[in-house]
Amino acid sequence: MHRLLLLGCLWLLAAPPGSSIFQRPTGTPAPPHLQYLLEPLHPTVHTQRGATATLPCVLRALPHNYRVKWSKVEPANYRESIIIITNGLYHKNYGPLSPRVRLRHSHRYDASLTITDVALEDEGRYRCQLVNGLEDESISLTLHLEGVVFPYQPSNGRYKFNYHEAKRACEQQDSRLATYQQLYKAWTEGLDWCNAGWILDGTVHYPIINSREPCGGRLLLPGLRTYGARDKQKDRFDAFCFTSALQGRVYFIRGHLTFKEAGQACRSHGAAIAKVGQLYSAWKFSQLDRCDGGWLEDGSVRYPITTPRQRCGGLPEPGVRSFGFPSKEMRSYGTYCFVGK
């Protein structure tokens, strides 16, 4: 099996540069349900925040009186929102994505969707639908943002957020509530957290790598434990937030500063005190590594470690360490600042 896969990959690499974009490998028939649309070679498009991404949708032929409709399946409620409709000559944009989307239209068969300045909320499933009377057909693609998931709770302790408060809290920290897929991926990459938290679809989960008594017991296997859907108004948990690459940089200022002095120090450099999501992003994408605890915008004190060492907390895994929410009058810490591009 592995040998067949390898031979298939070598065939693709050896394909002649002049091959038509409409050709399929010999012996690979088009899916019978697609008469006009080409099945995408890669149904998942990987990108980062701030980048430009293109979701491919190419027609093999142009039917009479057709339209192509792009829509997005919203992960919070599974409804489809129309983005753009075209008849090949004219198009119209819809919804909040309108200012940032266009049709690539590199040739007359190309109905691919290009999204500029990709935002956190752009991640998800998209549908390119050919509307042609009784012969409607569609393909689905997924836009995947490279990023990092982090657990978040407020200064007054664990399990204080209802769903709407959790959503706002993530947004205030330059992030958004994570999707189930994002939290699952974070668990496979080592996220181990005992407190349950909201995610974007209104369900509550917690990821466990090392089974232990306070986290469901030693007998339960590692996994993404779930409380299922909860009451978004009444039930209270922590939050799992997701952020991606920064449009700027995070840096550290030394000192023995109060929280107020920390903000002033950043502003004096033409920057702002960094948010929690910005520190996680700098740790993940810029490998920011410091042993120094520093104030952040929410009043917490944290520090990012990419190379674990004994004198920096002693934990064996990389991560963003937290001192919690000390008194804002304490003069024990520096500050992390953020400056945009």
Side-chain angles (χ1 to χ4, degrees):
M1 181 66 179
H2 294 297
R3 187 178 179 184
L4 288 174
L5 289 173
L6 178 59
L7 288 173
C9 293
L10 291 174
W11 185 93
L12 288 173
L13 290 173
S19 298
S20 166
I21 60 171
F22 304 116
Q23 288 179 347
R24 288 181 169 272
T26 304
T28 305
H33 64 287
L34 289 181
Q35 180 180 355
Y36 293 104
L37 294 177
L38 287 174
E39 191 78 20
L41 286 176
H42 304 289
T44 299
V45 175
H46 296 265
T47 188
Q48 293 180 354
R49 178 169 55 176
T52 296
T54 297
L55 299 167
C57 184
V58 177
L59 284 70
R60 68 176 68 251
L62 300 178
H64 294 291
N65 302 319
Y66 77 97
R67 288 180 298 153
V68 170
K69 179 175 72 174
W70 275 99
S71 57
K72 183 176 187 289
V73 180
E74 300 298 343
N77 52 28
Y78 300 105
R79 295 177 181 171
E80 285 198 24
S81 301
I82 297 175
I83 300 170
I84 196 167
I85 296 178
T86 180
N87 64 0
L89 296 175
Y90 306 100
H91 69 272
K92 185 173 182 179
N93 293 15
Y94 297 87
L97 265 174
S98 181
R100 296 189 289 111
V101 296
R102 57 180 170 82
L103 295 170
R104 182 175 62 181
H105 206 63
S106 58
H107 51 80
R108 66 194 186 109
Y109 298 94
D110 185 13
S112 301
L113 182 73
T114 295
I115 305 174
T116 60
D117 193 19
V118 170
L120 295 177
E121 59 268 23
D122 296 342
E123 171 152 314
R125 187 158 60 90
Y126 291 76
R127 189 158 73 108
C128 177
Q129 181 182 16
L130 177 72
V131 181
N132 184 33
L134 298 177
E135 298 177 339
D136 293 358
E137 55 190 57
S138 66
I139 58 171
S140 292
L141 301 109
T142 298
L143 186 66
H144 172 75
L145 268 70
E146 302 294 338
V148 58
V149 172
F150 60 94
Y152 189 74
Q153 58 182 224
S155 59
N156 57 342
R158 68 196 286 259
Y159 294 176
K160 300 296 182 181
F161 294 135
N162 67 24
Y163 172 82
H164 306 286
E165 292 164 345
K167 187 171 183 289
R168 281 196 301 271
C170 289
E171 291 167 356
Q172 289 167 357
Q173 295 307 314
D174 193 49
S175 59
R176 73 189 299 239
L177 278 176
T179 65
Y180 182 87
Q181 290 78 8
Q182 289 165 345
L183 183 59
Y184 182 87
K185 184 173 185 289
W187 168 71
T188 66
E189 294 172 348
L191 181 61
D192 183 283
W193 197 256
C194 214
N195 293 352
W198 293 102
I199 63 172
L200 188 59
D201 64 4
T203 57
V204 175
H205 309 267
Y206 64 103
I208 294 297
I209 298 291
N210 302 306
S211 299
R212 50 202 187 273
E213 287 303 328
C215 307
R218 297 180 183 276
L219 298 180
L220 285 180
L221 292 173
L224 193 54
R225 313 270 173 79
T226 180
Y227 287 5
R230 310 298 290 192
D231 189 306
K232 292 182 178 181
Q233 292 287 354
K234 297 179 181 178
D235 290 327
R236 294 189 173 272
F237 298 95
D238 291 345
F240 286 105
C241 305
F242 171 83
T243 193
S244 186
L246 285 174
Q247 298 295 286
R249 69 182 182 94
V250 172
Y251 62 93
F252 182 74
I253 294 179
R254 289 184 177 275
H256 298 282
L257 308 171
T258 65
F259 176 73
K260 183 177 180 180
E261 291 167 343
Q264 292 170 342
C266 291
R267 288 190 294 273
S268 69
H269 284 74
I273 189 167
K275 299 180 178 183
V276 177
Q278 291 167 342
L279 184 65
Y280 269 92
S281 181
W283 165 74
K284 174 76 172 181
F285 292 99
S286 302
Q287 289 73 55
L288 185 62
D289 184 291
R290 291 203 67 100
C291 263
D292 308 279
W295 291 105
L296 295 177
E297 189 265 351
D298 67 341
S300 65
V301 172
R302 305 173 196 251
Y303 62 102
I305 297 296
T306 56
T307 305
R309 46 213 187 268
Q310 191 60 41
R311 65 184 185 87
C312 298
L315 295 176
E317 300 88 8
V320 175
R321 320 284 195 228
S322 175
F323 289 152
F325 294 84
S327 167
K328 291 184 176 181
E329 303 305 316
M330 287 185 65
R331 293 178 178 270
S332 301
Y333 309 105
T335 184
Y336 288 96
C337 303
F338 171 76
V339 60
K341 287 185 178 179

